[in-house]
């Protein structure tokens, strides 16, 4: 048996998400993280979270916190990382600066990379704009003489390290999503910087070192990285490492087919904004998952766990995805209606004025939320729907007063209801409704003429949750106060 040498001798699937903490968690990054997570679960492998935090100026701790919180909120927990007690922390590139440098030096020693001494001004002159719109380095650093190098050193110039990109050559790979891809190395911009003159490794280099170190088997990331992949394959070769499988996920556009970006779309690309507005993480996960991937059985609604069993990278669409908030709202409404009422009640609490919550027990809150959840698209809508339940009295809008309370029958109904308060079986929705119906029978008033004055008095609206439930949840004190106050309005009208 030949000994299996090289990366990942166990053949375990190992994938990762590697965002930079230069911004908050973008919905596109969340979808890529999700596809990586699903791929890992489907193949009983590991999902890793690594922070590409080498940009000292733009990396921010609050962005790191947001990325972590967002991924946790979506349920995309990772399987490895520094142990900080509780969930793992992410791996960080800043902890490996010396390691990248060491590997880059080994490439210099083997002639696959070299020290390049051009100043920023010289580089600007060299690059210019080429006919195809791509600026490129003219590889002059390959040919400096010993004297020239000596002169640069004497001037105390700090070199960057450039990796040699041979041209002409075609780099090819069979992309797990896009199929065969070929990139001509002459389109890659010339020999590339892998370590800047300040000693910081460039993304295309650090990412390869990390993916090798972490024994990554599949690199699943956004389509915007296709050209980077060609560069990275050249680095894998130079380092003598097995190239992982690559899968490039299509970009995400808005409904007008414009790329989703923070600049153009503001907070609506930020996963945390959906949390703040009362979206269900289950809905976001389902929506993002089905955006570019359709399960073999065409089902549209599925949980993270269900998707983990059937996810197929090869079935990801090649065409751009469309982020459509109306469609997301449809998914969210579905989950608000179908998740256990306990869960929805607990999550709704964050959207109800905390100073009011004590008015009801948890069981009553559950009924109260249950009575309105059909109408909710997101939980931030909950307060406008349940607001009338709180407080002894409420303000009845003038148009409702005029159209509903301004009649003799309304006065009769409210009077009779007020006298029946003592007989209401509080806590029994059907029993309360039965009392209302018996009032109607006795007064020979039915339909709108019976129900609307009561609804107006109790909720300030003519439509809403089941009347029996409203009475039963509101309870004796509130019902009495509200009927009295509505009757007061009746008398004056
Ligand atoms: N920081 C890069 C990004 O978020 C990582 C790309 C990769 O996965 O290699 O786009």
């Amino acid at each position: 048996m030949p000994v299996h040498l090289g990366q990942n001798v166990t053949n375990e699937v190992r994938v990762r998400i590697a965002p930079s903490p230069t911004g908050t968690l973008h919905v596109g990054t969340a979808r890529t993280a999700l596809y990586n997570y699903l791929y890992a679960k489907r193949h009983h492998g590991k999902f890793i979270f690594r922070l590409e935090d080498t940009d000292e100026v733009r990396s921010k701790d609050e962005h790191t916190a947001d990325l972590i919180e967002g991924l946790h909120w979506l349920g995309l927990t990772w399987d490895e990382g520094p142990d900080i007690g509780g969930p793992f922390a992410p791996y960080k590139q800043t902890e490996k600066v010396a390691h990248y440098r060491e590997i880059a030096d080994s490439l210099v020693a083997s002639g696959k990379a070299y020290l390049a001494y051009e100043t920023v001004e010289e580089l600007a002159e060299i690059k210019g704009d080429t006919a195809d719109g791509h600026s490129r380095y003219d590889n002059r650093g390959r040919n400096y003489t010993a004297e020239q190098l000596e002169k640069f050193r004497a001037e105390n110039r700090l070199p960057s390290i450039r990796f040699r990109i041979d041209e002409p050559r075609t780099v090819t790979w069979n992309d797990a999503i896009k199929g065969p891809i070929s990139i001509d190395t002459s389109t890659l911009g010339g020999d590339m910087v892998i370590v800047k003159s300040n000693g910081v490794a460039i993304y295309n280099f650090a990412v390869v070192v990390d993916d090798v170190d972490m024994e990554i088997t599949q690199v699943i990331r956004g389509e915007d990285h296709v050209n980077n992949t060609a560069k990275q394959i050249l680095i894998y070769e130079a380092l003598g490492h097995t190239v992982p499988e690559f899968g490039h996920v299509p970009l995400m556009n808005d409904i007008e087919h414009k790329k989703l970006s923070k600049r153009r779309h503001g907070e609506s690309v930020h996963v945390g904004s959906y949390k703040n507005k009362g979206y269900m993480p289950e809905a976001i996960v389902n929506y993002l998952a089905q955006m570019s991937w359709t399960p073999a059985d065409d089902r549209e609604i599925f949980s993270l766990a269900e998707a983990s069993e059937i996810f197929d990278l090869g079935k990801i669409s090649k065409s751009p995805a469309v982020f459509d908030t109306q469609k997301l709202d449809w998914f969210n409404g579905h989950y608000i209606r179908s998740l256990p009422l306990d869960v929805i009640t607990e999550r709704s609490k964050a959207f109800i004025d905390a100073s009011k919550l004590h008015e009801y027990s948890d069981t009553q809150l559950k009924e109260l939320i249950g009575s309105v959840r059909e109408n909710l698209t997101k939980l931030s809508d909950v307060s406008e729907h349940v607001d009338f339940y709180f407080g002894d009295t409420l303000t009845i809008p003038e148009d409702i007063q005029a159209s509903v309370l301004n009649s003799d029958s309304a006065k009769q109904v409210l009077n009779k209801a007020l006298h029946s308060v003592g007989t209401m079986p509080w806590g029994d929705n059907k029993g309360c409704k039965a009392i209302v119906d018996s009032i109607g029978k006795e007064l020979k008033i039915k339909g709108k003429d019976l129900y609307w004055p009561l609804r107006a008095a109790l909720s300030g609206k003519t439509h809403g949750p089941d009347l029996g439930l409203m009475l039963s949840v509101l309870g004796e004190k509130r019902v009495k106060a509200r009927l009295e106050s509505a009757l007061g309005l009746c008398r004056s009208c």
Side-chain angles (χ1 to χ4, degrees):
M1 279 282 280
V3 183
H4 183 86
L5 284 178
Q7 272 176 280
N8 210 316
V9 287
T10 61
N11 284 328
E12 175 190 53
V13 160
R14 293 172 62 81
V15 293
R16 85 302 187 277
I17 184 75
S20 306
T22 50
T24 50
L25 181 62
H26 187 289
V27 285
T29 308
R31 185 190 51 157
T32 307
L34 173 62
Y35 289 160
N36 275 282
Y37 174 95
L38 293 175
Y39 190 83
K41 296 294 153 193
R42 172 81 170 83
H43 297 280
H44 310 289
K46 295 275 190 310
F47 169 58
I48 291 164
F49 174 23
R50 183 173 76 218
L51 275 176
E52 305 215 317
D53 59 344
T54 51
D55 184 335
E56 283 165 19
V57 182
R58 291 171 60 231
S59 294
K60 299 262 183 303
D61 286 347
E62 68 254 34
H63 293 148
T64 298
D66 183 85
L67 293 167
I68 294 175
E69 192 190 324
L71 291 175
H72 280 312
W73 181 63
L74 296 173
L76 306 181
T77 45
W78 47 102
D79 301 307
E80 276 180 20
D83 187 353
I84 49 164
F88 291 114
Y91 290 117
K92 291 184 176 175
Q93 285 191 330
T94 39
E95 283 155 11
K96 295 174 69 179
V97 173
H99 178 63
Y100 303 130
R101 181 65 206 225
E102 209 177 290
I103 309 241
D105 286 344
S106 77
L107 288 175
V108 174
S110 63
K112 290 171 180 154
Y114 56 86
L115 301 182
Y117 285 89
E118 293 84 17
T119 59
V120 177
E121 294 74 25
E122 283 166 354
L123 283 177
E125 255 172 50
I126 298 167
K127 282 182 171 174
D129 273 336
T130 50
D132 62 0
H134 292 103
S135 60
R136 60 173 279 129
Y137 176 66
D138 63 4
N139 296 349
R140 69 178 63 180
R142 292 183 183 193
N143 307 316
Y144 284 127
T145 62
E147 289 74 33
Q148 280 173 306
L149 290 172
E150 192 49 47
K151 184 171 156 282
F152 293 146
R153 281 191 282 266
E155 288 169 5
N156 285 328
R157 291 192 184 194
L158 289 174
S160 54
I161 301 180
R162 280 192 186 265
F163 177 79
R164 299 172 78 101
I165 295 185
D166 291 330
E167 301 168 21
R169 201 198 133 175
T170 308
V171 179
T172 58
W173 72 94
N174 194 12
D175 197 273
I177 295 169
K178 295 173 74 70
I181 297 186
S182 301
I183 306 264
D184 176 352
T185 54
S186 61
T187 65
L188 298 180
D191 294 345
M192 67 168 152
V193 174
I194 55 173
V195 177
K196 290 193 281 188
S197 57
N198 65 4
V200 175
I202 289 279
Y203 158 71
N204 272 315
F205 179 62
V207 73
V208 172
V209 174
D210 286 338
D211 286 340
V212 168
D213 289 347
M214 294 176 187
E215 302 187 343
I216 297 301
T217 50
Q218 276 76 22
V219 172
I220 304 165
R221 62 183 168 205
E223 198 173 34
D224 46 337
H225 286 288
V226 163
N227 270 341
N228 286 333
T229 297
K231 295 177 182 174
Q232 291 169 25
I233 288 175
L234 296 173
I235 297 175
Y236 278 100
E237 284 177 3
L239 294 173
H241 287 294
T242 318
V243 176
E245 188 179 11
F246 291 97
H248 289 89
V249 180
L251 295 184
M252 209 185 266
N253 292 334
D254 65 14
I255 48 171
E256 284 163 5
H257 307 291
K258 298 206 175 85
K259 194 180 158 201
L260 267 200
S261 72
K262 174 103 187 165
R263 193 175 44 81
R264 191 178 283 125
H265 300 92
E267 270 296 276
S268 61
V269 302
H270 175 204
V271 169
S273 74
Y274 293 92
K275 181 178 180 207
N276 296 340
K277 281 188 258 178
Y279 281 81
M280 305 293 95
E282 294 83 354
I284 305 269
V285 159
N286 193 161
Y287 177 60
L288 291 178
Q290 61 79 52
M291 193 182 258
S292 297
W293 165 64
T294 314
D297 58 8
D298 277 345
R299 80 179 99 153
E300 202 165 20
I301 297 288
F302 45 79
S303 67
L304 185 61
E306 285 164 347
S308 299
E309 284 171 17
I310 53 172
F311 183 70
D312 183 353
L313 196 57
K315 291 274 171 352
I316 291 201
S317 153
K318 294 184 184 48
S319 22
V322 175
F323 189 90
D324 176 355
T325 28
Q326 272 191 2
K327 189 150 188 214
L328 171 59
D329 285 353
W330 180 84
F331 276 92
N332 206 48
H334 166 82
Y335 279 96
I336 288 183
R337 289 189 298 278
S338 59
L339 282 167
L341 186 53
D342 281 332
V343 172
I344 297 299
T345 305
E346 210 39 53
R347 291 182 188 172
S348 295
K349 286 182 183 174
F351 297 92
I352 299 174
D353 184 346
S355 67
K356 293 177 175 173
L357 276 174
H358 69 275
E359 282 193 32
Y360 289 101
S361 69
D362 274 356
T363 318
Q364 287 174 317
L365 276 177
K366 217 169 115 174
E367 275 223 272
L368 189 155
I369 301 293
S371 75
V372 300
R373 76 158 149 177
E374 283 294 321
N375 310 316
L376 304 178
T377 303
K378 45 195 188 299
L379 292 186
S380 54
D381 301 336
V382 80
S383 88
E384 71 182 73
H385 283 91
V386 300
D387 211 39
F388 74 84
Y389 278 109
F390 297 91
D392 282 350
T393 53
L394 50 80
T395 313
I396 302 173
E398 276 178 22
D399 56 330
I400 302 235
Q401 288 183 34
S403 62
V404 180
L405 300 181
N406 190 12
S407 75
D408 211 40
S409 64
K411 229 182 278 186
Q412 286 180 47
V413 169
L414 296 179
N415 245 323
K416 190 81 195 157
L418 186 58
H419 283 103
S420 310
V421 161
T423 62
M424 287 276 178
W426 307 108
D428 168 4
N429 305 351
K430 285 204 175 100
C432 289
K433 178 71 178 6
I435 301 260
V436 171
D437 288 334
S438 71
I439 293 173
K441 267 203 187 110
E442 208 182 313
L443 299 176
K444 296 200 178 20
I445 298 176
K446 56 185 182 181
K448 274 175 20 177
D449 293 337
L450 171 65
Y451 300 126
W452 282 21
L454 287 168
R455 286 190 169 279
L458 298 175
S459 68
K461 305 170 193 176
T462 49
H463 293 89
D466 174 74
L467 188 55
L469 181 146
M470 259 164 46
L471 280 160
S472 154
V473 172
L474 282 166
E476 182 165 2
K477 190 159 160 274
R478 286 187 203 86
V479 169
K480 191 160 177 284
R482 290 179 188 201
L483 289 172
E484 278 168 353
S485 130
L487 269 167
L489 293 169
C490 273
R491 270 190 279 275
S492 68
C493 61

